[in-house]
Amino acid sequence: MGERRESSVLARHESFLLYDLNGQRLEFKLGGKERYVLGRESGCDIQVLLSLEVSRRHVEIVKVDGVYKVRDLGSRNGTYVNGKKIGDAFYPLSNRDNLSLGSRLSLVFKEGLN
């Protein structure tokens, strides 16, 4: 029982992008790196093959001074945070923000405690 509690405490200190696909929850863990590129390309840090609206290199997420920020990398279908289209300037992410890549794929940013 102590192990379960310890692992749940550790999980609360990590940040994730969450996606619910037909009731199956997918988690993309953020941590250990300062920069992530999301897209369909195999060389991306997080390869997203769930929608053809996602560009080969769609968005970049960075962690600066403990804050995750996102920017569009010139994607064809755009990037939105809580419905607001963002451009190539970094936009700060807050806990439970909805990050949409195009109009069909939405991820939820879940921020850890640290």
Side-chain angles (χ1 to χ4, degrees), residues 50-98:
L50 302 171
S51 171
L52 292 177
E53 286 193 11
V54 176
S55 295
R56 285 178 283 206
R57 293 173 52 84
H58 199 107
V59 297
E60 176 182 22
I61 297 176
V62 297
K63 187 174 185 181
V64 179
D65 297 327
V67 176
Y68 282 99
K69 299 179 180 185
V70 63
R71 72 178 178 128
D72 188 271
L73 294 175
S75 69
R76 183 175 194 169
N77 294 302
T79 301
Y80 302 81
V81 176
N82 299 326
K84 178 182 176 185
K85 188 171 185 173
I86 63 168
D88 61 358
F90 282 106
Y91 189 93
L93 289 171
S94 297
N95 192 36
R96 299 192 186 275
D97 273 351
N98 185 310

Side-chain angles (χ1 to χ4, degrees), residues 39-56:
R40 289 192 341 259
E41 195 173 82
S42 63
C44 289
D45 300 297
I46 299 175
Q47 190 177 19
V48 182
L49 300 172
L50 302 171
S51 171
L52 292 177
E53 286 193 11
V54 176
S55 295
R56 285 178 283 206

